[in-house]
Amino acid sequence: MRAQIAAAFLLVFVATTALAAAPSTDAPATATDGKAAHLDALFAELHAAPSVEQGKVVEGQIVDEWLQSGDPEIDLLMRKAMVAMGTGVLNQAFGYLDQVIARDPNYVEGWNKRATVYYMIDAYDKSLADIQKTLQLEPRHFGALAGLGMIMIKLGDKQRALEAFERAYQVDPVINNGKEVIEELKDEISKAL
């Protein structure tokens, strides 16, 4: 069961890497208020999507928006970091992501990607710290919420895992295996009582 939950949500946790291989260069950089308004509209569209398939398209657009830094240097560093992550060269990924965070500590995806790399090396305390920063900057970050849930499973805290996954599902109703994972966790918790 735990392996199934971890596998299902690992896909979500790294979704911002898998859904968009690199920050898009199609849209011009927008002001913070404009970006927030655009994200609000996308999340409303995600919740109103008439099908899972259409919801997945919007989910990808949200990820694309998160990846838009507005800074060409950060975009380059992020592309390099994601290639390093994808090829398993995690020390390089850390180096690039540290530079991203130093350059713009308010750029959500720098924190989220570094949290993912920390998770990949089982450094859960550091991953949790970066997830906390990610969620402080973007409370609707479904990848970070799923990552939080996965770490709680690894740490044996099923109740907190359930809460994190429920939040992720509430924010993203088309999240991979959302209902199934939540129900399985509920069953495990009730059996343990």
Side-chain angles (χ1 to χ4, degrees):
M1 165 55 193
R2 286 185 187 171
Q4 293 170 330
I5 292 173
F9 273 89
L10 181 58
L11 296 173
V12 176
F13 191 38
V14 296
T16 54
T17 301
L19 286 172
S24 172
T25 56
D26 296 340
T30 58
T32 303
D33 290 343
K35 185 174 186 124
H38 188 234
L39 280 167
D40 289 345
L42 286 172
F43 273 102
E45 190 176 335
L46 177 62
H47 282 270
S51 69
V52 171
E53 293 77 20
Q54 289 173 311
K56 286 292 185 188
V57 170
V58 178
E59 183 184 69
Q61 292 171 339
I62 291 168
V63 170
D64 287 343
E65 186 67 23
W66 282 334
L67 284 167
Q68 306 253 343
S69 73
D71 180 332
E73 181 65 26
I74 288 177
D75 291 346
L76 176 62
L77 290 167
M78 287 297 288
R79 282 192 293 276
K80 289 178 177 182
M82 292 188 312
V83 168
M85 289 171 70
T87 58
V89 187
L90 301 183
N91 286 338
Q92 280 185 358
F94 278 123
Y96 295 132
L97 294 168
D98 288 345
Q99 290 177 60
V100 166
I101 290 167
R103 188 169 176 97
D104 184 357
N106 292 315
Y107 177 57
V108 174
E109 276 310 298
W111 296 100
N112 180 58
K113 291 288 184 286
R114 196 171 74 176
T116 303
V117 178
Y118 278 132
Y119 179 84
M120 293 168 76
I121 64 167
D122 300 331
Y124 302 132
D125 56 338
K126 292 180 179 180
S127 185
L128 285 170
D130 282 2
I131 288 171
Q132 182 179 11
K133 185 63 176 179
T134 301
L135 294 173
Q136 178 186 356
L137 293 168
E138 175 52 85
R140 302 170 295 189
H141 201 295
F142 44 81
L145 290 166
L148 175 61
M150 290 170 47
I151 291 171
M152 290 301 109
I153 286 174
K154 292 277 189 178
L155 298 178
D157 191 337
K158 292 179 188 176
Q159 184 59 47
R160 286 186 61 199
L162 175 61
E163 292 165 8
F165 290 137
E166 285 177 331
R167 281 181 56 204
Y169 183 68
Q170 182 180 19
V171 168
D172 181 0
V174 299
I175 201 164
N176 291 341
N177 301 314
K179 286 182 185 177
E180 295 85 357
V181 172
I182 289 168
E183 289 307 313
E184 287 179 29
L185 268 173
K186 284 180 179 178
D187 286 345
E188 280 194 8
I189 291 168
S190 67
K191 288 176 185 175
L193 295 178

mmCIF file of all heavy atoms in Angstrom, residues 58-91:
data_model
loop_
_atom_site.group_PDB
_atom_site.id
_atom_site.type_symbol
_atom_site.label_atom_id
_atom_site.label_comp_id
_atom_site.label_asym_id
_atom_site.label_seq_id
_atom_site.Cartn_x
_atom_site.Cartn_y
_atom_site.Cartn_z
ATOM 1 N N VAL A 58 -5.142 22.240 -18.184
ATOM 2 C CA VAL A 58 -5.052 23.429 -17.328
ATOM 3 C C VAL A 58 -3.984 23.232 -16.261
ATOM 4 O O VAL A 58 -3.216 24.153 -15.958
ATOM 5 C CB VAL A 58 -6.421 23.763 -16.691
ATOM 6 C CG1 VAL A 58 -6.310 24.971 -15.770
ATOM 7 C CG2 VAL A 58 -7.466 24.020 -17.777
ATOM 8 N N GLU A 59 -3.897 22.044 -15.700
ATOM 9 C CA GLU A 59 -2.861 21.733 -14.724
ATOM 10 C C GLU A 59 -1.478 22.022 -15.326
ATOM 11 O O GLU A 59 -0.617 22.630 -14.672
ATOM 12 C CB GLU A 59 -2.977 20.266 -14.321
ATOM 13 C CG GLU A 59 -2.005 19.811 -13.253
ATOM 14 C CD GLU A 59 -2.137 18.313 -12.988
ATOM 15 O OE1 GLU A 59 -1.770 17.525 -13.892
ATOM 16 O OE2 GLU A 59 -2.612 17.949 -11.904
ATOM 17 N N GLY A 60 -1.277 21.615 -16.557
ATOM 18 C CA GLY A 60 -0.018 21.889 -17.247
ATOM 19 C C GLY A 60 0.222 23.380 -17.449
ATOM 20 O O GLY A 60 1.358 23.858 -17.352
ATOM 21 N N GLN A 61 -0.846 24.126 -17.707
ATOM 22 C CA GLN A 61 -0.714 25.574 -17.862
ATOM 23 C C GLN A 61 -0.315 26.233 -16.543
ATOM 24 O O GLN A 61 0.462 27.198 -16.533
ATOM 25 C CB GLN A 61 -2.019 26.177 -18.388
ATOM 26 C CG GLN A 61 -2.330 25.766 -19.810
ATOM 27 C CD GLN A 61 -3.729 26.176 -20.246
ATOM 28 O OE1 GLN A 61 -4.614 26.423 -19.430
ATOM 29 N NE2 GLN A 61 -3.935 26.229 -21.554
ATOM 30 N N ILE A 62 -0.820 25.707 -15.447
ATOM 31 C CA ILE A 62 -0.435 26.228 -14.130
ATOM 32 C C ILE A 62 1.050 25.979 -13.895
ATOM 33 O O ILE A 62 1.780 26.871 -13.456
ATOM 34 C CB ILE A 62 -1.307 25.594 -13.020
ATOM 35 C CG1 ILE A 62 -2.746 26.094 -13.124
ATOM 36 C CG2 ILE A 62 -0.709 25.891 -11.636
ATOM 37 C CD1 ILE A 62 -3.747 25.326 -12.269
ATOM 38 N N VAL A 63 1.488 24.777 -14.208
ATOM 39 C CA VAL A 63 2.909 24.453 -14.051
ATOM 40 C C VAL A 63 3.753 25.384 -14.928
ATOM 41 O O VAL A 63 4.774 25.912 -14.477
ATOM 42 C CB VAL A 63 3.171 22.975 -14.384
ATOM 43 C CG1 VAL A 63 4.659 22.680 -14.459
ATOM 44 C CG2 VAL A 63 2.496 22.076 -13.356
ATOM 45 N N ASP A 64 3.320 25.590 -16.162
ATOM 46 C CA ASP A 64 4.044 26.509 -17.053
ATOM 47 C C ASP A 64 4.132 27.907 -16.445
ATOM 48 O O ASP A 64 5.180 28.556 -16.502
ATOM 49 C CB ASP A 64 3.358 26.599 -18.418
ATOM 50 C CG ASP A 64 3.563 25.354 -19.267
ATOM 51 O OD1 ASP A 64 4.466 24.553 -18.966
ATOM 52 O OD2 ASP A 64 2.798 25.189 -20.244
ATOM 53 N N GLU A 65 3.050 28.354 -15.864
ATOM 54 C CA GLU A 65 3.030 29.695 -15.251
ATOM 55 C C GLU A 65 3.989 29.759 -14.068
ATOM 56 O O GLU A 65 4.700 30.742 -13.892
ATOM 57 C CB GLU A 65 1.608 30.060 -14.818
ATOM 58 C CG GLU A 65 1.455 31.475 -14.311
ATOM 59 C CD GLU A 65 1.656 32.543 -15.373
ATOM 60 O OE1 GLU A 65 1.490 32.270 -16.579
ATOM 61 O OE2 GLU A 65 1.983 33.690 -14.987
ATOM 62 N N TRP A 66 4.005 28.712 -13.248
ATOM 63 C CA TRP A 66 4.937 28.688 -12.116
ATOM 64 C C TRP A 66 6.388 28.746 -12.585
ATOM 65 O O TRP A 66 7.239 29.335 -11.932
ATOM 66 C CB TRP A 66 4.736 27.427 -11.277
ATOM 67 C CG TRP A 66 3.556 27.468 -10.367
ATOM 68 C CD1 TRP A 66 2.950 28.573 -9.836
ATOM 69 C CD2 TRP A 66 2.842 26.348 -9.853
ATOM 70 N NE1 TRP A 66 1.907 28.201 -9.026
ATOM 71 C CE2 TRP A 66 1.813 26.832 -9.020
ATOM 72 C CE3 TRP A 66 2.974 24.975 -10.026
ATOM 73 C CZ2 TRP A 66 0.929 26.011 -8.361
ATOM 74 C CZ3 TRP A 66 2.081 24.147 -9.358
ATOM 75 C CH2 TRP A 66 1.073 24.663 -8.532
ATOM 76 N N LEU A 67 6.658 28.111 -13.721
ATOM 77 C CA LEU A 67 8.030 28.076 -14.224
ATOM 78 C C LEU A 67 8.484 29.412 -14.814
ATOM 79 O O LEU A 67 9.682 29.646 -14.937
ATOM 80 C CB LEU A 67 8.186 26.961 -15.258
ATOM 81 C CG LEU A 67 8.271 25.561 -14.663
ATOM 82 C CD1 LEU A 67 8.104 24.501 -15.751
ATOM 83 C CD2 LEU A 67 9.578 25.363 -13.932
ATOM 84 N N GLN A 68 7.570 30.279 -15.155
ATOM 85 C CA GLN A 68 7.918 31.577 -15.743
ATOM 86 C C GLN A 68 8.507 32.477 -14.668
ATOM 87 O O GLN A 68 7.797 32.959 -13.796
ATOM 88 C CB GLN A 68 6.677 32.246 -16.327
ATOM 89 C CG GLN A 68 5.935 31.404 -17.303
ATOM 90 C CD GLN A 68 6.103 31.853 -18.722
ATOM 91 O OE1 GLN A 68 6.522 32.960 -18.981
ATOM 92 N NE2 GLN A 68 5.769 30.989 -19.629
ATOM 93 N N SER A 69 9.784 32.720 -14.755
ATOM 94 C CA SER A 69 10.433 33.546 -13.734
ATOM 95 C C SER A 69 10.460 35.021 -14.108
ATOM 96 O O SER A 69 10.535 35.870 -13.238
ATOM 97 C CB SER A 69 11.868 33.065 -13.511
ATOM 98 O OG SER A 69 12.682 33.438 -14.610
ATOM 99 N N GLY A 70 10.472 35.316 -15.391
ATOM 100 C CA GLY A 70 10.626 36.701 -15.825
ATOM 101 C C GLY A 70 12.083 37.133 -15.877
ATOM 102 O O GLY A 70 12.379 38.282 -16.180
ATOM 103 N N ASP A 71 13.004 36.227 -15.592
ATOM 104 C CA ASP A 71 14.432 36.529 -15.569
ATOM 105 C C ASP A 71 15.141 35.485 -16.443
ATOM 106 O O ASP A 71 15.171 34.306 -16.085
ATOM 107 C CB ASP A 71 14.942 36.474 -14.129
ATOM 108 C CG ASP A 71 16.430 36.763 -13.985
ATOM 109 O OD1 ASP A 71 17.204 36.512 -14.933
ATOM 110 O OD2 ASP A 71 16.829 37.210 -12.898
ATOM 111 N N PRO A 72 15.717 35.900 -17.575
ATOM 112 C CA PRO A 72 16.360 34.931 -18.468
ATOM 113 C C PRO A 72 17.469 34.117 -17.797
ATOM 114 O O PRO A 72 17.646 32.937 -18.113
ATOM 115 C CB PRO A 72 16.943 35.794 -19.595
ATOM 116 C CG PRO A 72 16.181 37.073 -19.549
ATOM 117 C CD PRO A 72 15.758 37.260 -18.123
ATOM 118 N N GLU A 73 18.205 34.707 -16.864
ATOM 119 C CA GLU A 73 19.263 33.986 -16.169
ATOM 120 C C GLU A 73 18.674 32.868 -15.304
ATOM 121 O O GLU A 73 19.192 31.756 -15.271
ATOM 122 C CB GLU A 73 20.098 34.936 -15.320
ATOM 123 C CG GLU A 73 21.237 34.271 -14.585
ATOM 124 C CD GLU A 73 22.321 33.694 -15.498
ATOM 125 O OE1 GLU A 73 22.488 34.180 -16.625
ATOM 126 O OE2 GLU A 73 22.996 32.744 -15.066
ATOM 127 N N ILE A 74 17.584 33.169 -14.604
ATOM 128 C CA ILE A 74 16.924 32.137 -13.794
ATOM 129 C C ILE A 74 16.366 31.042 -14.695
ATOM 130 O O ILE A 74 16.493 29.855 -14.394
ATOM 131 C CB ILE A 74 15.823 32.751 -12.904
ATOM 132 C CG1 ILE A 74 16.468 33.544 -11.768
ATOM 133 C CG2 ILE A 74 14.898 31.665 -12.348
ATOM 134 C CD1 ILE A 74 15.493 34.257 -10.864
ATOM 135 N N ASP A 75 15.761 31.443 -15.815
ATOM 136 C CA ASP A 75 15.221 30.437 -16.734
ATOM 137 C C ASP A 75 16.318 29.488 -17.220
ATOM 138 O O ASP A 75 16.115 28.281 -17.288
ATOM 139 C CB ASP A 75 14.544 31.108 -17.922
ATOM 140 C CG ASP A 75 13.264 31.830 -17.523
ATOM 141 O OD1 ASP A 75 12.751 31.596 -16.410
ATOM 142 O OD2 ASP A 75 12.776 32.639 -18.340
ATOM 143 N N LEU A 76 17.490 30.036 -17.533
ATOM 144 C CA LEU A 76 18.612 29.209 -17.972
ATOM 145 C C LEU A 76 19.057 28.269 -16.850
ATOM 146 O O LEU A 76 19.266 27.072 -17.076
ATOM 147 C CB LEU A 76 19.780 30.087 -18.425
ATOM 148 C CG LEU A 76 21.061 29.344 -18.826
ATOM 149 C CD1 LEU A 76 20.802 28.427 -20.017
ATOM 150 C CD2 LEU A 76 22.166 30.350 -19.150
ATOM 151 N N LEU A 77 19.194 28.802 -15.649
ATOM 152 C CA LEU A 77 19.588 27.971 -14.507
ATOM 153 C C LEU A 77 18.560 26.869 -14.245
ATOM 154 O O LEU A 77 18.921 25.727 -13.934
ATOM 155 C CB LEU A 77 19.777 28.834 -13.255
ATOM 156 C CG LEU A 77 20.989 29.754 -13.260
ATOM 157 C CD1 LEU A 77 20.887 30.781 -12.124
ATOM 158 C CD2 LEU A 77 22.281 28.953 -13.146
ATOM 159 N N MET A 78 17.279 27.198 -14.375
ATOM 160 C CA MET A 78 16.231 26.195 -14.161
ATOM 161 C C MET A 78 16.295 25.098 -15.216
ATOM 162 O O MET A 78 16.135 23.914 -14.900
ATOM 163 C CB MET A 78 14.848 26.849 -14.150
ATOM 164 C CG MET A 78 14.563 27.648 -12.898
ATOM 165 S SD MET A 78 14.544 26.633 -11.396
ATOM 166 C CE MET A 78 13.004 25.747 -11.620
ATOM 167 N N ARG A 79 16.515 25.483 -16.479
ATOM 168 C CA ARG A 79 16.638 24.468 -17.522
ATOM 169 C C ARG A 79 17.795 23.522 -17.200
ATOM 170 O O ARG A 79 17.668 22.302 -17.308
ATOM 171 C CB ARG A 79 16.823 25.114 -18.896
ATOM 172 C CG ARG A 79 15.534 25.644 -19.500
ATOM 173 C CD ARG A 79 15.699 26.010 -20.962
ATOM 174 N NE ARG A 79 16.591 27.146 -21.171
ATOM 175 C CZ ARG A 79 16.245 28.426 -21.095
ATOM 176 N NH1 ARG A 79 15.001 28.745 -20.801
ATOM 177 N NH2 ARG A 79 17.121 29.379 -21.321
ATOM 178 N N LYS A 80 18.921 24.099 -16.798
ATOM 179 C CA LYS A 80 20.081 23.280 -16.448
ATOM 180 C C LYS A 80 19.778 22.391 -15.239
ATOM 181 O O LYS A 80 20.155 21.214 -15.215
ATOM 182 C CB LYS A 80 21.290 24.171 -16.156
ATOM 183 C CG LYS A 80 21.854 24.843 -17.389
ATOM 184 C CD LYS A 80 23.030 25.749 -17.014
ATOM 185 C CE LYS A 80 23.658 26.382 -18.232
ATOM 186 N NZ LYS A 80 24.830 27.219 -17.877
ATOM 187 N N ALA A 81 19.096 22.940 -14.250
ATOM 188 C CA ALA A 81 18.753 22.162 -13.056
ATOM 189 C C ALA A 81 17.842 20.996 -13.408
ATOM 190 O O ALA A 81 18.030 19.876 -12.915
ATOM 191 C CB ALA A 81 18.101 23.058 -12.006
ATOM 192 N N MET A 82 16.864 21.245 -14.259
ATOM 193 C CA MET A 82 15.920 20.183 -14.602
ATOM 194 C C MET A 82 16.579 19.102 -15.449
ATOM 195 O O MET A 82 16.262 17.922 -15.300
ATOM 196 C CB MET A 82 14.677 20.779 -15.249
ATOM 197 C CG MET A 82 13.887 21.596 -14.226
ATOM 198 S SD MET A 82 12.263 22.215 -14.710
ATOM 199 C CE MET A 82 12.522 22.950 -16.276
ATOM 200 N N VAL A 83 17.513 19.479 -16.313
ATOM 201 C CA VAL A 83 18.269 18.470 -17.056
ATOM 202 C C VAL A 83 19.099 17.637 -16.077
ATOM 203 O O VAL A 83 19.129 16.410 -16.150
ATOM 204 C CB VAL A 83 19.158 19.129 -18.137
ATOM 205 C CG1 VAL A 83 20.162 18.134 -18.697
ATOM 206 C CG2 VAL A 83 18.300 19.704 -19.262
ATOM 207 N N ALA A 84 19.760 18.313 -15.142
ATOM 208 C CA ALA A 84 20.566 17.601 -14.146
ATOM 209 C C ALA A 84 19.695 16.666 -13.310
ATOM 210 O O ALA A 84 20.080 15.523 -13.031
ATOM 211 C CB ALA A 84 21.313 18.593 -13.255
ATOM 212 N N MET A 85 18.511 17.113 -12.921
ATOM 213 C CA MET A 85 17.599 16.258 -12.169
ATOM 214 C C MET A 85 17.193 15.047 -12.995
ATOM 215 O O MET A 85 17.179 13.919 -12.506
ATOM 216 C CB MET A 85 16.342 17.038 -11.763
ATOM 217 C CG MET A 85 16.569 18.078 -10.691
ATOM 218 S SD MET A 85 15.122 19.132 -10.434
ATOM 219 C CE MET A 85 13.979 17.977 -9.683
ATOM 220 N N GLY A 86 16.847 15.295 -14.245
ATOM 221 C CA GLY A 86 16.391 14.226 -15.116
ATOM 222 C C GLY A 86 17.451 13.183 -15.421
ATOM 223 O O GLY A 86 17.134 12.026 -15.695
ATOM 224 N N THR A 87 18.717 13.589 -15.361
ATOM 225 C CA THR A 87 19.806 12.655 -15.647
ATOM 226 C C THR A 87 20.457 12.132 -14.369
ATOM 227 O O THR A 87 21.445 11.402 -14.444
ATOM 228 C CB THR A 87 20.863 13.318 -16.551
ATOM 229 O OG1 THR A 87 21.361 14.500 -15.912
ATOM 230 C CG2 THR A 87 20.283 13.661 -17.913
ATOM 231 N N GLY A 88 19.934 12.540 -13.229
ATOM 232 C CA GLY A 88 20.440 12.024 -11.963
ATOM 233 C C GLY A 88 21.724 12.665 -11.471
ATOM 234 O O GLY A 88 22.360 12.142 -10.565
ATOM 235 N N VAL A 89 22.096 13.802 -12.035
ATOM 236 C CA VAL A 89 23.298 14.508 -11.589
ATOM 237 C C VAL A 89 22.850 15.538 -10.548
ATOM 238 O O VAL A 89 22.762 16.741 -10.801
ATOM 239 C CB VAL A 89 24.040 15.174 -12.776
ATOM 240 C CG1 VAL A 89 25.369 15.755 -12.310
ATOM 241 C CG2 VAL A 89 24.249 14.177 -13.906
ATOM 242 N N LEU A 90 22.541 15.035 -9.365
ATOM 243 C CA LEU A 90 21.858 15.843 -8.365
ATOM 244 C C LEU A 90 22.748 16.920 -7.751
ATOM 245 O O LEU A 90 22.245 17.987 -7.381
ATOM 246 C CB LEU A 90 21.256 14.939 -7.299
ATOM 247 C CG LEU A 90 20.249 13.906 -7.852
ATOM 248 C CD1 LEU A 90 19.645 13.105 -6.724
ATOM 249 C CD2 LEU A 90 19.171 14.565 -8.701
ATOM 250 N N ASN A 91 24.041 16.696 -7.661
ATOM 251 C CA ASN A 91 24.925 17.750 -7.139
ATOM 252 C C ASN A 91 24.885 18.983 -8.030
ATOM 253 O O ASN A 91 24.881 20.114 -7.538
ATOM 254 C CB ASN A 91 26.359 17.243 -6.988
ATOM 255 C CG ASN A 91 26.516 16.312 -5.802
ATOM 256 O OD1 ASN A 91 25.713 16.351 -4.869
ATOM 257 N ND2 ASN A 91 27.527 15.480 -5.842
#
